[in-house]
Amino acid sequence: MSKKYDIQIEERVFHFKEPAGTSRGIYTTRRSWFIHLTSPSFPGRKGVGECAPLPQLSCDELPGTDTAGISRYLSRLRELCTKFEEEGEIDYPLMRPYPSMLFGLETALLHLQRGSLALFDTPYSRGEETIPINGLVWMGSHEEMLQRMEKKIEEGNRCIKLKIGGIDFEEELDLIKRVRQRFSHRELQLRVDANGAFSPAEALCKLEQLAQYAIHSIEQPVKVNQWGLMAQLCREAPIPIALDEELIGVNLPEMKRQMLNIIKPAYIVLKPSLHGGMRGTEEWVEIAKEMGIGSWMTSALESHVGLNAVSQLAAKIYGPHITLPQGLGTGKLYTDDIIIC
């Protein structure tokens, strides 16, 4: 039996213009695998999707960051792609545990079927609307973060997101205070992302200190898998809390409902490469909406191929007329990004 699709897999390593610091560590390079999809049903066309797991974070980053770990990821990706080639459709139950691979395959298939980088028909894809974004300030020294923050404001960003938890907390508060002395919360929205950096004993105190500066929200103040603690913080903290890493690996609808019902966050922050691909992300949004929980979408540091797909999906889910800034301002991270048009 002839294959319905043909897939070629390409591996690429991207290099950050500046080190990207989080409380989990510093990124200087980024590895992605690209699915190049063709089919006799679409002669002359090719679909491209990006599979981009984040080291030590993605649930489908198979054990080992060395050559053996990379080989295991590629081997599993090849197995899943072969199954798709032969059957001609995505096996969603099988691929739920592999969100970065699923997202790449979904992207490539949509690209092939539509014959366009406009993966969905939206005002955004037609060039009629833009999507508001936050300006991301990576961790660094106090002076580095101050300079980066100033640059984001000069570029016209009216929503700034600071990665915190990497330097002295008093210095981080000083950065936020400086911004608030110049811009009210009506003029500039401030978000912070702790990436689980706060200890259980100090979390509430730090949230109370941040609250005096009219913070829009804080992502993942404490480490994952502490649902009771996170639920308590969501009840008692004076700042709205958003879940991010907490969602990773929670792939079944009933588990999603259970988590959100227990923790009751104000927001969830969704990365399709981490949180279930396109279908899984839409599922998260629908469940959260039913429970009165807000959400927005952000990239997982993909190249322009993945970033375009995340942006297109955000426009489909939240549009038209998106007002809440999305985390899509990551298009200038690499010295050697892919040019798409």
Side-chain angles (χ1 to χ4, degrees):
M1 183 177 68
S2 61
K3 295 190 298 184
K4 299 181 179 181
Y5 293 92
D6 183 75
I7 290 176
Q8 302 297 317
I9 299 173
E10 173 197 8
E11 180 182 335
R12 289 192 61 164
V13 177
F14 299 100
H15 299 81
F16 284 85
K17 294 178 181 178
E18 296 180 1
T22 76
S23 61
R24 291 186 305 273
I26 298 174
Y27 294 119
T28 57
T29 60
R30 180 76 161 86
R31 189 181 305 272
S32 291
W33 286 264
F34 290 86
I35 292 174
H36 298 270
L37 179 65
T38 56
S39 170
S41 299
F42 301 95
R45 292 189 190 177
K46 180 169 73 172
V48 181
E50 181 175 6
C51 306
L54 280 170
Q56 301 176 6
L57 189 60
S58 296
C59 64
D60 56 357
E61 189 223 6
L62 302 180
T65 55
D66 55 5
T67 303
I70 293 169
S71 177
R72 282 190 286 271
Y73 183 92
L74 179 58
S75 176
R76 187 55 176 154
L77 177 60
R78 181 68 265 176
E79 289 175 9
L80 293 170
C81 286
T82 298
K83 190 173 190 300
F84 172 79
E85 287 175 325
E86 295 171 350
E87 297 180 358
E89 59 184 29
I90 296 175
D91 187 335
Y92 279 95
L94 179 67
M95 293 197 71
R96 275 185 183 272
Y98 306 98
S100 68
M101 301 180 196
L102 175 57
F103 182 56
L105 188 53
E106 288 172 316
T107 301
L109 183 58
L110 280 170
H111 187 195
L112 178 68
Q113 290 173 337
R114 290 186 60 84
S116 168
L117 292 169
L119 305 181
F120 305 101
D121 184 19
T122 65
Y124 172 74
S125 71
R126 297 192 296 270
E128 299 167 4
E129 290 184 0
T130 59
I131 298 176
I133 62 173
N134 61 236
L136 178 60
V137 177
W138 292 102
M139 286 180 184
S141 68
H142 180 277
E143 187 60 32
E144 288 171 336
M145 292 182 72
L146 181 61
Q147 291 175 358
R148 291 168 185 167
M149 193 162 55
E150 289 289 347
K151 184 178 179 182
K152 293 298 180 183
I153 293 172
E154 289 173 4
E155 290 173 351
N157 289 282
R158 287 299 171 260
C159 177
I160 303 294
K161 174 180 169 180
L162 282 82
K163 293 276 189 179
I164 62 173
I167 61 175
D168 182 77
F169 185 64
E170 293 301 321
E171 291 189 83
E172 292 170 338
L173 284 178
D174 178 70
L175 290 170
I176 294 168
K177 179 180 178 181
R178 289 183 184 221
V179 175
R180 273 290 169 254
Q181 287 173 336
R182 294 165 53 195
F183 302 97
S184 73
H185 69 279
R186 294 182 183 86
E187 298 170 302
L188 183 71
Q189 187 179 100
L190 277 176
R191 299 173 176 173
V192 294
D193 183 0
N195 288 129
F198 297 170
S199 73
E202 69 186 4
L204 187 57
C205 178
K206 288 188 172 182
L207 292 173
E208 289 171 347
Q209 292 179 75
L210 286 166
Q212 63 186 310
Y213 301 111
I215 303 297
H216 170 270
S217 57
I218 180 168
E219 294 178 35
Q220 205 68 44
V222 296
K223 293 186 184 301
V224 301
N225 298 324
Q226 301 180 87
W227 289 13
L229 172 61
M230 191 69 85
Q232 178 187 356
L233 292 175
C234 288
R235 288 194 306 270
E236 300 178 4
I239 297 176
I241 291 176
L243 302 185
D244 180 356
E245 290 93 337
E246 199 76 62
L247 311 178
I248 297 171
V250 182
N251 298 314
L252 298 176
E254 56 270 26
M255 286 297 294
K256 296 176 181 181
R257 290 182 187 278
Q258 182 184 20
M259 170 188 281
L260 296 182
N261 188 53
I262 291 172
I263 298 177
K264 294 182 172 62
Y267 300 100
I268 57 174
V269 183
L270 295 159
K271 300 178 175 70
S273 288
L274 299 180
H275 300 136
M278 292 188 180
R279 179 174 290 190
T281 296
E282 291 190 83
E283 196 172 75
W284 272 116
V285 172
E286 290 170 5
I287 293 171
K289 190 174 181 180
E290 290 171 9
M291 303 175 74
I293 296 169
S295 65
W296 66 85
M297 204 172 302
T298 181
S299 77
L301 312 184
E302 296 95 346
S303 75
H304 283 146
V305 172
L307 181 58
N308 173 69
V310 177
S311 303
Q312 298 283 336
L313 182 62
K316 178 196 177 197
I317 291 176
Y318 299 120
H321 314 308
I322 298 175
T323 57
L324 188 66
Q326 308 291 301
L328 305 175
T330 56
K332 299 179 181 179
L333 290 178
Y334 304 113
T335 60
D336 47 4
D337 207 334
I338 294 173
I339 298 173
I340 61 174
C341 57

